[in-house]
Structure formats: structure tokens, C-alpha cells
Amino acid sequence: MLEVRNLKKYYQLKAGIFKKQVGFVHAVDGISFNVKKGETLGLVGESGCGKTTAGLTILRLIEPTAGEVFFEGKDIFKATKKEMRTFRRELQIIFQDPYSSLNPRMTVYDIVSEPLKVHGLARKKNEKTEKVSQLIKKAGLSPHEHMHRYPHEFSGGQRQRIGIARALATNPKLIIADEPVSSIDVSVRAQILNLLQDLKKEFRLTMLFISHDLSVVKHVCNRVAVMYVGKIVEIAKTKDLYNNPQHPYSEVLLSAIPVPNPKIRRKRILLRGEVPTPVNPPLGCRFHPRCSYAEPACEKVEPKLINIGGPDEHLVACHLRK
């Protein structure tokens, strides 16, 4: 369905009166993964590791520095403007912030109907109104009560439902969900996650689910890819990753998940030092300055992402797993 090969996104750093170039921010630095038809792949990692940048670059909402992205065998990065419009119908995004992603001057009807208008999917007004009503209803809102209101009249959870309805308007094949519940009250997160699960089955969606909340990822994803400072360090089935993480960074992330039982105490793994800057990332393995298992080779040679799980495809980039 979706295949990402050696994707890179660098941002130039400039300084001084004449804006002299002084370096690059290695936001996404050569990541490769695939999303199979009908599955949900979780992309996880701490803030600033490049998750959101990867999602936006895949959709060409920001242009890549290098790499290839194939959707159903077609290279998105080589598509013309006309071809990209076709891709836009089949690739949609649910943005992280439900407050800034909706135009405050547009009603819910205008917001949800805009993709239909742009792609010519409902030319008659009655047809458009009926389609918008169905989408709003499927997103868990009332068409009669909410269709002609403005975004400021809704809560964060309701706004995210509007964003979901907009993403579904073109009947896409793949949705990138960029931390869709991180800006929402804890009390309504489960409702939004269950809604996404139900809509995925109904519309037969494939999903790239970006999040830093490992509890959420465990609930909704079939496989998980772990990112650290612009690199993917591990990819595995959700059950395999949570039960038997192979990369030291994955172990650290999983040890931080709260256990909802005061009688059970999980040993927390504490890291030394700070997260490296993406402006000047460490040589070799990027995790080695903070890794308690680091060997001399980790400081000089960057580990490749290799399969250590046979047909189950448990991929890990670590010199300890050979």
C-alpha cells in the first residue's frame, strides 16, 4: 500500500545579517518502512524525534530533501500537480491540533464539504448536503444541531470529530493520524480512538498512526515503528514489541508506561544525559551516548535496520542484535 524508502527532510540553519548557512536540522534522516493494506502502523517516539515531519513529508505537505514514497506502486515525490490532486483524494490526514486545523470563519458544513467541492465528488447541492450530513453523523455529531455552527462553538473532542469527518469526505484509502488525541481531554480520548477503529473497519482504511502515547498505540496498532532523533530503530508487530523489545531505546519507552494497578511496580529505566540535538547528531548509533549497553562499535558505525525475527519481520537497528 505505502512504502517509504530512505526518506530525508533537512532544514537549513542560517545566522547573521546576511543569513549565512551554518548547518542543517536533520529532522528525518533516512527512514524506511512500509504500511500494508488494511493495517494500522504506529510511529512512536518522544517529542522532536521527527514523527510529524515524516507524516507531513510523506503527503508532500512539506517537500522532502531526499528519498522515495510509493503509494500503490506510484512514486508520490515524482507526481505532477495534476497527479497530486488524485493522490490527495486517496491520502488524507487528521491533524494533531483540532483548534488550529479548522478555519474559524467556516461552518462545519463548509469545512466538511470543501473536499467534495475541490474534487468534484458532489456537484448538486442536495447531494452535497446529504453527503456532509452522513459524514457528520458517522463522526458522532448531530447534522441538524451542528452542521451550521462555527468551530469556536465546539469542544476539543468535537472539533477533532469534525476533522475526522473532513478526512473521510473523499473516501480515502490511507489516513495519516498525527497524534489525534494528544490535544484532547483524557475523558474523551477513548471515544475518539473507538470512533477511529469503527471507521477504519467501515471504510476499510489503512492508517499511519503517529503518537508518543504507547498505551494508545498498543490499543489501536497492528505494528509499531520506533523513532529516535530522526531514525527508525525498531519495527515489529505490536505484541512482539511490547513483550520483547530488542532495541535499548524501546525498552526505555516501554518502561515508562504507567501501570493502572498500585500493587504492581514496574522497574523504570532512567537514561543519562539529554536527547542529542538533530543539528549535530552523534556519529554511529544515535542512542549510544545514553545507552547502558553501548560498545566501541556503537560510537563509530551506524547500525543497519535488519530483520531478526524471520518471517515475522522484527526489524532492529542495534549492534547488539546480530
Side-chain angles (χ1 to χ4, degrees):
M1 170 64 78
L2 181 74
E3 185 177 0
V4 178
R5 299 178 185 173
N6 197 32
L7 179 63
K8 296 181 180 180
K9 178 59 185 177
Y10 299 163
Y11 293 97
Q12 288 186 359
L13 281 179
K14 296 183 179 181
I17 299 175
F18 300 103
K19 299 295 182 181
K20 182 179 178 181
Q21 183 177 316
V22 294
F24 291 93
V25 176
H26 298 74
V28 178
D29 199 4
I31 66 172
S32 299
F33 62 89
N34 68 319
V35 186
K36 301 173 185 176
K37 186 175 182 179
E39 80 166 348
T40 300
L41 175 70
L43 188 59
V44 304
E46 55 197 316
S47 297
C49 71
K51 307 184 300 296
T52 295
T53 302
L56 296 175
T57 308
I58 288 169
L59 295 179
R60 280 184 68 180
L61 295 179
I62 54 179
E63 290 297 321
T65 301
E68 299 173 306
V69 173
F70 293 91
F71 177 71
E72 295 187 331
K74 299 176 182 177
D75 192 345
I76 294 176
F77 293 166
K78 292 182 179 179
T80 62
K81 287 186 177 181
K82 185 177 180 180
E83 291 170 336
M84 276 307 301
R85 174 162 289 199
T86 302
F87 280 125
R88 299 276 183 229
R89 282 188 58 178
E90 300 177 336
L91 300 167
Q92 287 292 318
I93 184 170
I94 300 169
F95 292 99
Q96 178 177 354
D97 187 359
Y99 292 90
S100 62
S101 62
L102 302 179
N103 190 328
R105 293 183 174 86
M106 297 175 71
T107 64
V108 173
Y109 174 82
D110 295 330
I111 290 169
V112 179
S113 66
E114 188 174 30
L116 301 175
K117 180 181 178 181
V118 170
H119 294 284
L121 300 177
R123 300 184 183 279
K124 296 181 180 179
K125 187 175 181 180
N126 291 341
E127 184 183 356
K128 187 188 297 182
T129 302
E130 179 63 25
K131 179 70 173 176
V132 172
S133 297
Q134 291 176 1
L135 289 167
I136 292 173
K137 191 173 182 179
K138 287 183 184 298
L141 298 174
S142 168
H144 177 72
E145 185 179 353
H146 299 132
M147 187 182 291
H148 299 293
R149 291 188 182 183
Y150 289 87
H152 73 270
E153 300 178 72
F154 296 93
S155 66
Q158 289 175 320
R159 288 180 186 222
Q160 197 61 290
R161 290 176 185 272
I162 297 167
I164 292 170
R166 177 178 59 186
L168 293 172
T170 60
N171 196 22
K173 295 179 180 178
L174 183 141
I175 286 181
I176 293 180
D178 182 17
E179 305 206 32
V181 295
S182 65
S183 301
I184 299 174
D185 291 342
V186 175
S187 58
V188 297
R189 287 185 183 182
Q191 297 175 21
I192 299 296
L193 291 173
N194 290 333
L195 172 64
L196 288 172
Q197 290 288 76
D198 293 340
L199 292 174
K200 180 191 171 186
K201 293 178 182 178
E202 182 177 349
F203 287 85
R204 298 178 181 179
L205 295 170
T206 303
M207 193 176 297
L208 176 62
F209 191 93
I210 299 170
S211 180
H212 63 265
D213 190 332
L214 290 165
S215 299
V216 169
V217 169
K218 186 177 181 180
H219 177 67
V220 301
C221 298
N222 305 107
R223 290 190 301 137
V224 181
V226 182
M227 280 192 74
Y228 183 76
V229 195
K231 293 280 189 181
I232 287 182
V233 297
E234 188 168 2
I235 305 175
K237 290 183 178 179
T238 304
K239 183 178 179 180
D240 294 339
L241 183 77
Y242 279 72
N243 292 338
N244 186 28
Q246 294 297 304
H247 196 280
Y249 179 63
S250 302
E251 292 181 2
V252 172
L253 287 181
L254 294 173
S255 76
I257 300 176
V259 179
N261 187 339
K263 296 181 181 180
I264 299 176
R265 294 194 176 185
R266 175 182 289 157
K267 183 180 179 181
R268 178 76 184 275
I269 302 174
L270 299 178
L271 291 175
R272 61 176 184 263
E274 298 293 332
V275 179
T277 171
V279 177
N280 187 24
L283 296 175
C285 175
R286 296 196 173 176
F287 188 61
H288 86 261
R290 310 176 74 195
C291 181
S292 57
Y293 308 111
E295 298 177 345
C298 302
E299 301 177 14
K300 301 176 182 179
V301 182
E302 181 180 328
K304 295 181 179 180
L305 197 65
I306 59 172
N307 182 15
I308 62 169
D312 290 336
E313 290 188 344
H314 192 142
L315 306 176
V316 62
C318 181
H319 290 300
L320 301 176
R321 315 299 182 194
K322 298 178 180 177

